[in-house]
């Protein structure tokens, strides 16, 4: 049961975040984009 | 046997603070500085009888130097004479109106009340939250190494209030301001503090908003110019038998396998040491002084991923006669939108903004010794890109830039300058790069945001190279005179513990 609900919950979560992002002000969008752009570097930055 | 116990590259505030503590503990320490004097960004230059600050114009968190001098078993006041600045800011709007924020919270409340009745209540909430945030984000984190997740967990455990204030990490400066203040005038008066972290209000983390509060805990200026701070630390370092070489550029950090073993200077001399400490930009340190070929691929990628912080051209003017300013710092008022536009529509496109951030700093209001009698020093600090569009080059637009800045101050902010100018000197981002070997004239080393701070900023103890330590604006807590000094103190403590069993 939990196995079936889990992906649905994740999808709902992603959809919620997407809607939140789309309705955010330009300033907030810029802030989020600026941070997301750097996520890929975090593991390397952590160990350097 | 190594030549020295520790070699420090760069005599900026971070390097000097670290060196002074090491020397105090009997560690044989050498500082190699490429310039002919100490201080790096925090130094002063003389021209025609005027003494100008090339970089910072005031300091917050004066107590950081008390911590340093306490560790050196000395009194700060014997080495640096700090003058308190009050009013902490004055503002000029483009319609010629003026208002000031005093250090006293109630006096500032009265000024804010004149701008907006509702925001006076916002100010009370802001000051309450600010005092908690100052303790957590600025004071406690200043001396926490933040090198690993465990350091962060420990920090969280020591500061349980942090969990209630975490929202300010996840929202931007602009939203944090809006949550306290409704009037555009009040928000604009505080918005420029985002640039203290080197970012516009839209990109700067929300917690930086509380720097507007910490200013009220005391802003100070060292008598004799900003260089008096590094000079004071240098004096203590030398008294403790520390050795400092000026005009000594380090070209390479020598490594043996994954271990730093010394440095090679521009004159070809190789000097060995048990520990190498870099006070220079972390990207330069890793990618050029160590060398890409000596580093693992993941480390090169990680270091390359950091952006340089922004640049601040600094126009220094020697003026004769009275000055129509009433505070050490005067902000030429801009809206928060203008501050964002200056970044996104101008700097990011290689254009120099005409509005968004313009700070007038007049240290001679407090310290008359910096200029001949009846004269003043005035710095006009703005934000601008290092790379200019349209094939322009900073070296070719100096005059145009100087004239346009003076025009803005005269026409928009109605201050008479031109007729009073006795001497002028402009430091462009390129000049900063040449003088201090700071790439792109980046005044705070690397950009500072949530993804490049704390455990994600280059560590004090290098993770990629053994026996290499980093201090200064590229490390935890980023640029700013108190934070880099704190990084030097932290690094010295870590080095003493890890390398010299103290
Ligand atoms: C225009 C401007 C305004 C500022 N305003 C403020 C302010 O109002 N308040 C505030 O708190 N902070 C302010 N800052 C920031 C503050 O000055 C810096 O963050 C701080 O001084 C940096 O110190 P640091 O220890 O990182 O070393 P740095 O000052 O960066 O010094 C590094 C030193 O290393 C030397 N060096 C570089 N490469 C080599 C090499 N290969 N070999 C040997 N030596 C080398 C350089 O010459 C330099 O002396 C401002 C900075 C600027 C530029």
């Amino acid at each position: 049961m939990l196995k079936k609900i889990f992906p649905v919950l994740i999808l709902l979560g992603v959809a919620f975040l997407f809607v939140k992002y789309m309705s955010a002000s330009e300033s907030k969008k810029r802030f989020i984009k600026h941070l997301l752009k750097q996520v890929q570097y975090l593991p390397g930055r952590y160990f350097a | 046997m190594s030549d020295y116990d520790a070699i420090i590259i760069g005599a900026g505030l971070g390097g000097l603070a670290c060196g002074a503590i090491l020397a105090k503990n009997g560690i044989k320490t050498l500082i190699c500085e490429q310039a002919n004097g100490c201080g790096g960004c925090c130094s002063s230059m003389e021209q025609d009888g005027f003494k100008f600050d090339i970089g910072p114009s005031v300091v917050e968190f004066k107590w950081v130097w008390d911590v340093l001098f306490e560790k050196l078993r000395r009194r700060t006041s014997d080495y640096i004479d700090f003058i308190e600045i009050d009013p902490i800011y004055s503002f000029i709007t483009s319609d010629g109106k003026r208002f000031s924020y005093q250090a006293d919270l109630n006096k500032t409340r009265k000024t804010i009340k004149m701008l907006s009745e509702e925001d006076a209540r916002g100010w009370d909430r802001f000051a309450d939250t600010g005092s908690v945030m100052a303790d957590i984000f600025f004071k406690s984190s200043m001396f926490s190494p933040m090198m690993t997740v465990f350091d962060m967990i420990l920090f969280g455990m020591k500061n349980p209030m942090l969990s209630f204030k975490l929202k300010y990490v996840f929202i931007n400066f602009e939203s944090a301001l809006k949550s306290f203040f409704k009037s555009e005038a009040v928000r604009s008066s505080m918005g420029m503090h985002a640039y203290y972290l080197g970012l516009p209000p839209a990109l700067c983390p929300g917690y930086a908003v509380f720097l507007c509060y910490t200013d009220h805990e005391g802003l100070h200026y060292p008598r004799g110019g900003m260089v008096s701070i590094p000079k004071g630390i240098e004096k203590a370092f030398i008294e403790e038998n520390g050795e400092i070489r000026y005009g000594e550029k380090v070209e390479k950090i020598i490594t043996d396998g994954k271990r730093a073993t010394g440095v090679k200077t521009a004159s070809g001399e190789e000097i060995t040491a048990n520990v190498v400490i870099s006070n220079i930009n972390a990207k330069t340190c890793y990618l050029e002084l160590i060398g890409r070929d000596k580093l693992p691929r993941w480390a090169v990628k990680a270091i390359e991923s950091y952006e340089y912080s922004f640049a601040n051209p600094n126009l220094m003017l020697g003026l004769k006669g009275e000055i129509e300013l009433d505070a050490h710092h005067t902000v030429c008022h801009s809206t928060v939108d203008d501050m964002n536009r200056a970044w996104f529509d101008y700097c990011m496109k290689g254009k120099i903004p005409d509005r968004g951030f313009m700070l007038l700093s007049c240290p001679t209001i407090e310290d008359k010794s910096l200029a001949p009698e009846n004269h003043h020093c005035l710095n006009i600090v703005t934000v601008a890109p290092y790379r200019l569009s349209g094939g322009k080059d900073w070296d070719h637009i100096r005059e145009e830039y100087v004239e346009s800045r003076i025009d803005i101050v005269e026409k928009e902010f109605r201050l008479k300058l031109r007729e009073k100018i006795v001497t002028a000197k402009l430091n462009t981002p390129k000049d900063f790069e040449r003088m201090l070997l700071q790439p792109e004239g980046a005044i705070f080393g690397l950009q500072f945001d949530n993804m490049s701070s704390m455990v994600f900023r280059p560590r004090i103890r290098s993770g990629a190279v053994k026996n290499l330590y980093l201090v200064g604006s590229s490390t935890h807590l980023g640029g700013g005179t108190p934070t880099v000094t704190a990084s030097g103190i932290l690094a010295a403590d870590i080095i003493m513990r890890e390398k010299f069993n103290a």
Side-chain angles (χ1 to χ4, degrees), chain B residues 118-188:
Chain B
E118 193 185 357
D119 282 349
R121 287 188 294 277
W123 173 251
D124 296 336
R125 270 193 308 123
F126 181 75
D128 287 345
T129 317
S131 70
V132 177
M133 295 297 283
D135 284 342
I136 302 173
F137 274 91
F138 304 112
K139 293 177 188 160
S140 304
S141 76
M142 197 90 83
F143 293 112
S144 308
M146 295 294 179
M147 292 192 288
T148 64
V149 172
F150 300 108
D151 293 331
M152 285 188 74
I153 295 173
L154 202 67
F155 177 69
M157 279 163 50
K158 278 191 197 154
N159 297 282
M161 282 299 283
L162 181 68
S163 44
F164 298 106
K165 304 292 172 194
L166 263 185
K167 86 167 198 196
Y168 296 107
V169 175
F170 299 111
I171 61 175
N172 66 9
F173 190 100
E174 199 174 333
S175 307
L177 262 186
K178 277 188 184 157
S179 69
F180 291 101
F181 304 110
K182 301 287 166 266
S183 110
E184 179 59 47
V186 176
R187 285 206 298 259
S188 303

Side-chain angles (χ1 to χ4, degrees), chain A residues 25-48, chain B residues 148-149 170-172 174-175 202-204 286 298 302 305-306 344 447 449 451-452 455-456 459 463:
Chain A
S25 65
E26 188 54 31
S27 153
K28 285 182 185 156
K29 278 185 186 156
R30 279 173 158 161
F31 183 64
I32 295 166
K33 261 194 251 169
H34 177 74
L35 298 182
L36 286 182
K37 189 169 85 181
Q38 300 179 70
V39 168
Q40 55 176 318
Y41 306 122
L42 294 186
R45 286 183 182 181
Y46 178 77
F47 290 104
Chain B
T148 64
V149 172
F170 299 111
I171 61 175
N172 66 9
E174 199 174 333
S175 307
L203 299 186
C204 189
Y286 278 113
W298 64 264
S305 75
Y306 290 106
F344 294 107
Q447 211 174 74
D449 54 39
M451 302 296 184
S452 53
V455 292
F456 300 122
R459 292 182 187 190

Side-chain angles (χ1 to χ4, degrees), chain B residues 9-15 32-35 37-42 54-60 65 196 226 248-251 279-281 284 289 312-314 329 359 381 432 435-438 441-444 471-474 478-485 487:
Chain B
I9 310 167
L13 284 172
C32 294
E33 165 58 53
Q34 60 87 28
C38 65
C41 293
C42 187
I54 67 157
S57 43
V58 289
V59 304
E60 274 196 289
W65 288 279
Y196 276 20
M226 289 301 294
E248 188 80 281
K249 183 183 170 196
V250 170
E251 214 139 70
N279 183 206
I280 67 173
N281 192 292
T284 315
L289 267 56
N312 259 163
N314 185 358
H329 264 176
L359 181 67
V381 183
F432 275 113
M435 276 188 307
L436 302 174
L437 308 183
Q438 183 65 275
I443 77 157
F444 293 142
V471 296
S473 54
S474 292
T481 50
T483 47
V484 300
T485 305
S487 79

Side-chain angles (χ1 to χ4, degrees), chain B residues 202-337:
Chain B
L203 299 186
C204 189
Y207 58 83
V209 106
F210 299 103
L211 288 172
C212 307
Y213 165 81
T214 53
D215 276 352
H216 293 266
E217 293 188 341
L219 270 194
H220 291 84
Y221 184 79
R223 196 179 300 283
M226 289 301 294
V227 75
S228 307
I229 304 179
K231 282 240 184 245
I233 310 173
E234 181 206 41
K235 186 173 168 218
F237 173 66
I238 292 169
E239 284 168 359
E240 293 296 342
N241 301 318
E243 193 184 324
I244 189 157
R245 291 192 200 168
Y246 288 112
E248 188 80 281
K249 183 183 170 196
V250 170
E251 214 139 70
K252 278 279 167 206
I253 294 175
I254 307 167
T255 51
D256 176 7
K258 282 184 184 163
R259 194 178 291 273
T261 56
V263 300
K264 185 173 179 193
T265 67
S267 59
E269 187 184 355
E270 292 195 359
I271 314 170
T272 57
N274 299 330
V275 172
V276 176
I277 301 149
S278 161
N279 183 206
I280 67 173
N281 192 292
K283 276 180 104 163
T284 315
C285 165
Y286 278 113
L287 303 178
E288 290 173 27
L289 267 56
I290 299 271
R292 286 180 163 77
D293 54 324
K294 301 268 177 16
L295 292 167
R297 276 244 303 279
W298 64 264
V300 172
K301 233 177 124 192
I303 301 297
E304 276 175 342
S305 75
Y306 290 106
E307 301 269 347
Y308 292 120
S309 83
F310 77 133
N312 259 163
N314 185 358
L315 172 58
M316 296 162 275
L317 301 175
L319 304 172
K320 66 168 182 277
E322 285 310 303
I323 194 150
E324 309 149 82
L325 299 174
D326 46 22
H328 181 109
H329 264 176
T330 301
V331 180
C332 295
H333 202 257
S334 319
T335 64
V336 171
D337 281 346

